[in-house]
Structure formats: C-alpha cells, structure tokens
C-alpha cells in the first residue's frame, strides 16, 4: 500500500490538505488482488486505491468516468495478424497506470484507512 501512496505522491496526483469548510470529500477504499504465475503459485499481491464512485449524480457528472479496456476479440485478431505476418510480439507489464484528465474543480477525497 505504501508503494501505491508513493506513486500517487510522485505523480502529484494528490496533495494532503485540510478539508475546507463546506466541502464534501469522496470516500475511498483499497482493492486487493492476488497475481498468480503460470504454474498457479502466488507471484505477488497487488493493491489499488480507488475513489468511491457512488457520489456521482446522473445529470451532473455521471458520464465523466472513462476506463479504456482491450476487448478479447481485438487481442485475438492482433495475435492472428502477428502469426500470419510473422511479426514479433512482446509483453509489457505496467506497474502503475494513471489516467490524466483535466479537472475544472477541486476534488477532495478522504485519506485512506491506515495512512
């Protein structure tokens, strides 16, 4: 968890500051996942700090979240093309990915538990 906090601070994703009067913070929580090797043994434990999205309002900011994902069909098509054309493939594991969006207002989040 400390590694995740360090990444957020080094990317200047957040700054810990006193909550202004009248501001309502968004809650947050830790999400944990176990990553396994090909043989089924535990490779490592991963964690992410996520903001709770239930504070959004449908008419105001409900469509503001975008999370790009790759569809399995797209991946299979790319692999088939690589096999057909003899292309070389490489795998890349991203340790921490952040979406960079432009915010036009201040957003406050509760400090995560155990921090």
């Amino acid at each position: 968890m400390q590694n995740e906090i360090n990444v957020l601070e080094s990317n200047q994703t957040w700054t810990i500051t006193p909550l202004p009067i009248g501001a309502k913070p968004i809650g947050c929580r830790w999400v944990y996942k176990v990553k396994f090797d090909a043989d089924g043994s535990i490779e490592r434990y991963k964690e992410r700090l996520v903001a709770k999205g239930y504070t959004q309002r449908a008419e105001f900011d409900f469509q503001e979240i975008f999370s790009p994902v790759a569809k399995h069909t797209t991946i299979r098509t790319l692999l088939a093309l690589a096999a057909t054309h003899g292309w070389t493939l490489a795998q890349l594991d991203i340790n921490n990915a952040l979406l960079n969006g432009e915010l036009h207002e201040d957003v406050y989040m509760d400090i995560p538990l155990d921090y």
Side-chain angles (χ1 to χ4, degrees), residues 66-76 78:
F66 174 72
S67 180
V69 295
K71 293 183 178 181
H72 289 247
T73 304
T74 305
I75 294 170
R76 284 193 300 269
L78 180 62

Side-chain angles (χ1 to χ4, degrees), residues 26-109:
I26 297 171
C28 65
R29 69 180 185 135
W30 290 103
V31 175
Y32 303 99
K33 184 172 185 173
V34 179
K35 301 291 268 186
F36 295 96
D37 280 330
D39 64 0
S41 63
I42 295 175
E43 177 186 349
R44 65 177 184 235
Y45 298 95
K46 291 190 74 171
E47 73 292 319
R48 288 181 296 142
L49 181 64
V50 297
K52 295 180 180 177
Y54 58 76
T55 58
Q56 292 176 301
R57 296 169 298 194
E59 299 82 28
F60 181 71
D61 55 8
F62 191 73
Q63 300 297 327
E64 295 295 318
I65 300 299
F66 174 72
S67 180
V69 295
K71 293 183 178 181
H72 289 247
T73 304
T74 305
I75 294 170
R76 284 193 300 269
T77 302
L78 180 62
L79 291 173
L81 285 170
T84 302
H85 295 286
W87 297 341
T88 302
L89 294 177
Q91 178 183 346
L92 175 67
D93 187 17
I94 303 297
N95 185 30
N96 196 308
L98 299 172
L99 297 176
N100 294 318
E102 294 292 326
L103 295 177
H104 303 288
E105 64 276 336
D106 292 330
V107 177
Y108 297 94
M109 184 175 81

Side-chain angles (χ1 to χ4, degrees), residues 1-9 14-17 28 30 49 109-115:
M1 292 186 323
Q2 187 59 48
N3 184 45
E4 178 80 358
I5 296 292
N6 292 343
V7 169
L8 292 172
E9 289 175 346
W14 72 351
T15 303
I16 296 179
T17 182
C28 65
W30 290 103
L49 181 64
M109 184 175 81
D110 289 326
I111 295 176
L113 293 176
D114 300 329
Y115 185 73

